[in-house]
Amino acid sequence: MTRQPALLRREGTTLDGRPYRIRPTQPGEAAAIVALQDAVAAEGEFIAALPGDREAMEQELLLSGILSSGGLSVSLDVGGTLSGHLLVVRRADHDQTHIGDLAIIVENAARGLGLGRALMETAIDWARAVRLGKLCLAVFTTNERAIGLYRSLGFVDEGVLRRQVRLSGGDRDVLLMGLAL
Ligand SMILES: CC(C)(COP(=O)(O)OP(=O)(O)OC[C@H]1O[C@@H](n2cnc3c(N)ncnc32)[C@H](O)[C@@H]1OP(=O)(O)O)[C@@H](O)C(=O)NCCC(=O)NCCS
């Protein structure tokens, strides 16, 4: 599959006036991505992960496997600092290779500025360009901001897994969402 780098690059200014850049994740960035994931995990309410779940080397291997399987990894810099990351993992089952599973995080201080939307739009444009048939994601039913963003981009609800994730703060229901492309 041909990669189209220009498709994966966006630049602009955040709603609060800082320069941002979306670009393909670079080799050697795994430690910074793990630190970002750990910070979001430590908030305890948005993702099913604990700080320290993954080491940089594991993340590096994971990313290279995702890319070599036709997936996507894009990074977001705000003011030159890694502030967000988005992954699309291509499904391997022979009857589901048209599906990509999407995961996104934006650091706390950069939320609500339109950056999550810019990352999602980058991923959707890419998914259409590489002729994926569908993007899927899973989100806690309590995550109103994320669900609002996904719905505004055309994702629809596809089901709820009750008490699917056990966190220290309590069990969470998981909403499955999909976007047919
Ligand atoms: C979810 C997340 C990626 C969204 O990114 P973001 O940069 O904060 O979002 P944006 O500012 O681009 O978009 C906000 C959109 O969400 C929606 N939104 C924002 N706050 C909302 C709220 N309280 N309730 C409902 N919708 C809300 C709006 O549709 C808004 O769109 P707009 O451009 O029309 O105003 C980010 O908040 C994040 O990383 N959160 C923690 C980790 C996480 O939840 N990851 C997703 C797990 S499934």
Side-chain angles (χ1 to χ4, degrees):
M1 191 172 303
T2 309
R3 211 160 275 296
Q4 301 178 43
L7 190 69
L8 303 180
R9 294 184 186 276
R10 289 182 190 210
E11 291 185 354
T13 307
T14 61
L15 299 177
D16 67 351
R18 290 178 285 166
Y20 76 84
R21 189 167 62 124
I22 293 171
R23 55 176 176 76
T25 301
Q26 297 302 304
E29 239 186 303
I33 293 170
V34 166
L36 182 62
Q37 286 170 344
D38 282 354
V40 176
E43 294 180 72
E45 50 180 317
F46 300 117
I47 59 174
L50 294 171
D53 266 358
R54 194 172 290 147
E55 293 180 1
M57 177 64 82
E58 292 173 282
Q59 181 72 23
E60 192 82 51
L61 289 171
L62 182 79
L63 289 176
S64 90
I66 287 169
L67 292 175
S68 64
S69 308
L72 174 70
S73 175
V74 284
S75 296
L76 162 74
D77 301 315
V78 178
T81 302
L82 183 77
S83 302
H85 183 238
L86 182 148
L87 275 179
V88 179
V89 180
R90 291 288 287 264
R91 291 203 188 168
D93 296 341
H94 70 90
D95 53 355
Q96 293 185 28
T97 55
H98 63 296
I99 294 178
D101 289 301
L102 184 150
I104 177 174
I105 49 172
V106 173
E107 74 157 341
N108 193 318
R111 291 179 198 153
L113 302 175
L115 298 168
R117 180 177 297 281
L119 276 168
M120 291 294 295
E121 288 173 349
T122 303
I124 293 167
D125 286 352
W126 168 85
R128 290 204 166 102
V130 302
R131 299 187 183 280
L132 275 185
K134 183 178 180 184
L135 284 171
C136 291
L137 57 83
V139 56
F140 295 159
T141 53
T142 45
N143 195 343
E144 291 180 10
R145 187 201 300 264
I147 293 169
L149 173 62
Y150 304 147
R151 284 186 180 147
S152 76
L153 290 164
F155 281 80
V156 296
D157 301 2
E158 297 195 323
V160 176
L161 306 173
R162 305 280 173 200
R163 301 188 67 171
Q164 180 75 2
V165 175
R166 181 151 291 180
L167 297 179
S168 59
D171 291 352
R172 298 299 167 96
D173 295 347
V174 171
L175 173 64
L176 304 177
M177 303 185 79
L179 175 69
L181 298 167

